[in-house]
Amino acid sequence: MESRILKEYKDSRSLQSQYILALDPISTDDLTHWECTIKGPLHSPFANHTFKLRIDIPQTYPLTTPICKFEPFAMPHPNVNFETGEICLDILDTNWSPVFNIQYIVEAIVWLLNEPNFKSPLNLDLANLLRFDDLKAYHDLISYHLNNSAK
Amino acid sequence: MSSYHEEHNTSPHTQSNPQGRREIRSEFRNLYEQLTPTDPTLISLLASLLPPELQEEWGKKSNEGCSQAFIDSLPRVPKDKIPNDLCSICFENFREDEYPLVIELPHCSHKFDLQCISVWLSSNSTCPVCRDKVNHNAKLDIDTTEAELEEDWGMYG
């Protein structure tokens, strides 16, 4: 399966995406650890902020899913564990398919930023605000965290 | 008043031996500090604390793959009909392989390298592209082959 990740590396050199600012292996000697910088989607509370993702590719890739995390204390989102950066997304869990690639995963994570789901929360405070439709408090709490972590 | 176990149609098997459960728990606690949370030893210890009925369910869930016999029986695509396309698991062109072994899933006609799809199907039972259950009518397939075989026997008998 090494050749597949090599192919993805080659494809990633010419990647052009509105929201993926950078997608690179941490070292070109070892294509199993990647770092990605994404831009918060427009019209979401994350607009005008950038976020780093860490992607670890298991030996069994693409038959098993890569492990993707935000940096700790950087992503206030109902489906992200704020302390660890862990992400709850179905395609990174039971709905994984080997036809997905790294770029697809990152795009799905950008999509998740715009489409939070309070039914599978990893951040209970934000999920509850969303569940009870308190959108002002929801946006304020996100901005509070984003402005604090930027310092 | 009916007991919890009567209401839920389970047996009090695991509670009849609280000493055993306590031992398993303390063993689990010790190992948890030494191993990673996803270690198979820990998971099997946890599973042994489940009531037997649930253990059965658990076993079913972790073994969702297709049988080797089913994988072996997947229809091969003849060499002249192999498309000029990528295998969606390894991202290699089927035709670039000097000796391509390409199969087609019976339910949805999606094509893969035999090698790639067999590893996936050994622990999953859905098509990677469309997520259809691949062995949906596997049993039916086997039945028809047997029927055909019998017919053949009749003809030559």
Side-chain angles (χ1 to χ4, degrees):
Chain A
M1 296 298 169
E2 261 173 40
S3 66
R4 160 134 171 201
I5 194 78
L6 192 62
K7 267 174 186 288
E8 289 195 39
Y9 171 67
K10 284 177 188 154
D11 291 345
S12 72
R13 296 309 86 195
S14 55
L15 169 72
Q16 287 192 333
S17 161
Q18 189 185 355
Y19 290 114
I20 307 176
L21 302 180
L23 178 58
D24 300 297
I26 291 173
S27 149
T28 45
D29 298 332
D30 175 9
L31 297 181
T32 58
H33 302 292
W34 291 61
E35 199 173 67
C36 178
T37 310
I38 59 170
K39 205 161 96 175
L42 283 175
H43 314 299
S44 80
F46 308 99
N48 304 319
H49 290 270
T50 60
F51 303 93
K52 278 210 166 76
L53 278 167
R54 165 79 185 235
I55 304 163
D56 294 315
I57 313 286
Q59 285 299 316
T60 43
Y61 180 80
L63 296 165
T64 53
T65 161
I67 296 158
C68 299
K69 281 180 182 181
F70 283 101
E71 291 181 309
F73 301 101
M75 175 47 79
H77 183 284
N79 307 107
V80 178
N81 182 318
F82 192 61
E83 283 87 23
T84 62
E86 189 191 338
I87 302 165
C88 176
L89 182 61
D90 62 342
I91 64 151
L92 290 178
D93 188 31
T94 47
N95 279 347
W96 170 252
S97 160
V99 305
F100 300 151
N101 59 20
I102 301 175
Q103 190 193 334
Y104 181 91
I105 294 169
V106 175
E107 277 165 5
I109 291 171
V110 173
W111 171 87
L112 180 70
L113 295 188
N114 237 342
E115 301 284 336
N117 174 5
F118 60 76
K119 283 177 189 151
S120 53
L122 286 179
N123 184 327
L124 286 172
D125 293 340
L126 283 171
N128 278 334
L129 291 176
L130 194 64
R131 180 196 300 267
F132 297 111
D133 216 23
D134 192 346
L135 291 183
K136 170 143 196 336
Y138 176 77
H139 284 109
D140 285 352
L141 185 56
I142 290 176
S143 312
Y144 169 80
H145 281 303
L146 289 179
N147 294 329
N148 265 6
S149 65
K151 278 166 200 164
Chain B
M1 205 179 104
S2 58
S3 76
Y4 172 86
H5 291 288
E6 280 160 18
E7 273 176 25
H8 293 262
N9 197 22
T10 61
S11 68
H13 166 88
T14 42
Q15 281 184 348
S16 61
N17 187 4
Q19 185 61 38
R21 289 176 64 84
R22 215 168 292 142
E23 276 166 23
I24 295 175
R25 279 212 205 99
S26 72
E27 195 183 342
F28 181 81
R29 213 168 292 135
N30 289 336
L31 284 173
Y32 189 81
E33 281 162 18
Q34 298 162 26
L35 303 169
T36 54
T38 49
D39 192 282
T41 325
L42 286 178
I43 292 169
S44 63
L45 266 181
L46 269 185
S48 65
L49 286 168
L50 291 171
E53 297 84 358
L54 287 179
Q55 280 185 28
E56 219 168 90
E57 289 277 309
W58 175 288
K60 264 185 225 152
K61 217 179 169 188
S62 61
N63 187 19
E64 278 176 347
C66 303
S67 69
Q68 190 58 46
F70 174 78
I71 296 169
D72 291 342
S73 74
L74 289 171
R76 308 277 162 92
V77 180
K79 203 170 175 181
D80 55 325
K81 288 196 179 129
I82 291 177
N84 184 16
D85 209 346
L86 304 182
C87 167
S88 38
I89 298 181
C90 64
F91 291 9
E92 302 277 350
N93 192 310
F94 293 125
R95 291 190 183 170
E96 269 167 31
D97 192 333
E98 201 182 341
Y99 301 105
L101 263 179
V102 180
I103 63 89
E104 185 179 86
L105 293 178
H107 207 56
C108 55
S109 305
H110 287 120
K111 295 173 182 64
F112 304 91
D113 285 320
L114 174 63
Q115 206 189 349
C116 298
I117 194 71
S118 33
V119 191
W120 172 254
L121 289 182
S122 64
S123 50
N124 297 271
S125 55
T126 53
C127 169
V129 175
C130 63
R131 297 189 194 279
D132 265 355
K133 281 259 181 226
V134 292
N135 53 2
H136 186 65
N137 47 14
K139 204 161 182 261
L140 210 74
D141 282 350
I142 291 168
D143 284 353
T144 42
T145 22
E146 271 169 6
E148 275 163 25
L149 261 180
E150 271 166 26
E151 257 178 43
D152 285 351
W153 276 109
M155 274 176 75
Y156 291 101

